[in-house]
Amino acid sequence: MSGKVKTIGVLTSGGDAPGMNAAIRAVVRVGAYHGIRVMGIRKGYNGLITGDMVEMNARSVSETLQRGGTILQTARCLEFKEPEGVKKGVEIARVFGLDGLIVIGGDGSFRGAKDLCAMGLPTIAMPGTIDNDIDCSEYTVGFDTALNTVKDAIDKIRDTATSHERCSLIEVMGRNAGHIAIHAGIACGAEVILVPEHEFDFDEDVLRPILESKSRGKKHSIIIVAEGVGGVVEMAKQIEKITGIESRATILGHVQRGGSPTVRDRVIASQMGAMAVELLLEGKSNRIVCMQNSRIVDVDIEEGLAMKKELPQELVDLAKKLSV
Ligand code: ADP
Ligand code: F6P
């Protein structure tokens, strides 16, 4: 371990995700274990630029493991996208004596982390986003909790859809990615799953499966639409008009971002947060802590950002087979 690192900062950035608190807690407690000071920076890169930070200790993170959201709060900081903003962040970090920084967020936040490293502040990033859209990581903290929230909601929608023999369209989050949609589709038995990664034909891929499943005796149709595809309200109207099947649209929205993190999210957040601290203590910088082959590892930020994550084809194929 390097004796040079005495004080580090931690911040959460971009959209919040359940499990971010577990990650903050791991950073603070593993920092305390190694005898270093940890400063909690509020509201993402905004707090770094303005010096909005407070020293944390093992007790500051008591009773946070089970809480959703982020106790440090988060933000989208436009100023940080400019070199001047990053420069200000590095200067403020120096004023507060930060020898390193841990950033918990999505790929936008990782770009900020890369810029900080380039301007001289050793930084380690770890994935916290419900979207599971970080290219170099099989998993992002928050994904499992969000999926369980989606599952609970769709199970309820299915009850009423069956009672009324309706078609229910449910829009789930995921920004430009369909990971939430494909996993929720398999877990909730969707007849149709629409994701931004794959083009679709409305007649062939939406109307036909609905009509076929009705003729096979199914009492409802569940259609999951990723937000990157969108348009559920209009689609519901079209389905009803063309097929005569009553259709309803639900946009799940921010309910997917809240709630107490699942065991999976708590454990992975704890592992990743701990590794982030230990990487800084080893004198490393410009790394993303991520999951590869089910193990927590670290990769170079630039290399990690340059990777391309596909929607797992085996899940897409499975969803199709299961929907008959
Ligand atoms: P996420 O981290 O969840 O992908 P955003 O894309 O909104 O969320 O990014 C979060 C924050 O990261 C932005 O508000 C900004 O402060 C910072 N950021 C995003 N892109 C860049 C960039 N290209 N350079 C520097 N900072 C960036
Ligand atoms: O990245 C997480 C996420 O919830 C996306 O799924 C969604 O597109 C976006 O954030 C919503 O952002 P906001 O909370 O700013 O509306």
Side-chain angles (χ1 to χ4, degrees):
M1 299 277 166
S2 146
K4 281 188 250 149
V5 176
K6 300 213 169 355
T7 304
I8 63 170
V10 57
L11 61 82
T12 47
S13 167
D16 64 351
M20 279 184 162
N21 286 328
I24 297 166
R25 173 179 175 271
V27 169
V28 172
R29 295 234 169 130
V30 173
Y33 175 85
H34 289 291
I36 57 170
R37 286 173 78 219
V38 179
M39 303 293 287
I41 301 167
R42 294 195 191 90
K43 300 182 189 169
Y45 291 122
N46 278 323
L48 185 63
I49 286 177
T50 58
D52 186 3
M53 55 183 91
V54 62
E55 184 169 346
M56 300 178 87
N57 60 38
R59 294 286 70 76
S60 342
V61 287
S62 295
E63 302 299 325
T64 60
L65 185 60
Q66 74 279 19
R67 284 166 56 191
T70 157
I71 54 167
L72 289 176
Q73 298 187 276
T74 184
R76 295 205 163 92
C77 172
L78 291 184
E79 197 182 342
F80 210 75
K81 289 191 172 180
E82 305 304 323
E84 273 311 301
V86 180
K87 195 162 162 248
K88 218 190 259 181
V90 174
E91 279 162 9
I92 297 291
R94 189 168 35 78
V95 170
F96 280 85
L98 301 188
D99 304 306
L101 176 70
I102 293 169
V103 171
I104 306 163
D107 56 355
S109 306
F110 291 4
R111 286 177 220 289
K114 173 173 75 77
D115 294 348
L116 283 168
C117 294
M119 289 209 193
L121 179 64
T123 303
I124 305 287
M126 64 157 276
T129 164
I130 65 164
D131 300 336
N132 203 22
D133 62 347
I134 298 296
D135 299 330
C136 60
S137 190
E138 281 155 20
Y139 191 77
T140 64
V141 169
F143 183 55
D144 189 56
T145 307
L147 273 177
N148 277 284
T149 303
V150 170
K151 179 265 296 168
D152 288 346
I154 296 180
D155 284 353
K156 291 185 171 108
I157 290 171
R158 174 195 284 272
D159 288 344
T160 165
T162 310
S163 304
H164 287 264
E165 298 207 13
R166 278 176 177 161
C167 170
S168 281
L169 294 95
I170 300 114
E171 183 187 299
V172 296
M173 279 188 168
R175 207 183 288 221
N176 303 315
H179 298 283
I180 295 180
I182 198 79
H183 280 77
I186 290 173
C188 303
E191 275 63 43
V192 176
I193 306 168
L194 301 178
V195 292
E197 290 87 345
H198 299 159
E199 282 185 7
F200 71 95
D201 178 83
F202 191 64
D203 289 353
E204 184 63 23
D205 302 317
V206 180
L207 295 180
R208 214 168 96 178
I210 295 171
L211 290 167
E212 280 177 0
S213 67
K214 190 175 165 68
S215 69
R216 282 195 211 108
K218 283 201 183 180
K219 293 202 178 349
H220 61 246
S221 283
I222 300 288
I223 302 188
I224 299 185
V225 182
E227 69 167 331
V229 174
V232 278
V233 174
E234 191 46 41
M235 250 186 245
K237 283 186 194 149
Q238 283 297 317
I239 291 168
E240 185 161 320
K241 192 169 146 206
I242 299 168
T243 66
I245 299 170
E246 267 195 316
S247 300
R248 296 287 185 271
T250 306
I251 298 175
L252 288 185
H254 286 80
V255 68
Q256 295 163 93
R257 286 247 294 268
S260 177
T262 59
V263 170
R264 182 163 166 79
D265 277 322
R266 295 181 197 195
V267 173
I268 294 174
S270 302
Q271 289 178 287
M272 288 183 166
M275 183 184 263
V277 173
E278 287 171 350
L279 288 172
L280 281 177
L281 289 175
E282 285 164 21
K284 301 218 174 112
S285 174
N286 205 40
R287 311 289 296 171
I288 300 173
V289 176
C290 55
M291 184 185 275
Q292 291 184 352
N293 301 318
S294 302
R295 298 189 63 84
I296 309 299
V297 296
D298 59 295
V299 300
D300 177 81
I301 293 191
E302 266 116 291
E303 281 172 26
L305 284 172
M307 289 179 191
K308 184 87 195 91
K309 185 173 186 172
E310 308 287 343
L311 213 52
Q313 190 55 43
E314 66 275 16
L315 291 187
V316 176
D317 295 341
L318 176 62
K320 210 161 184 64
K321 288 179 199 159
L322 292 173
S323 71
V324 291

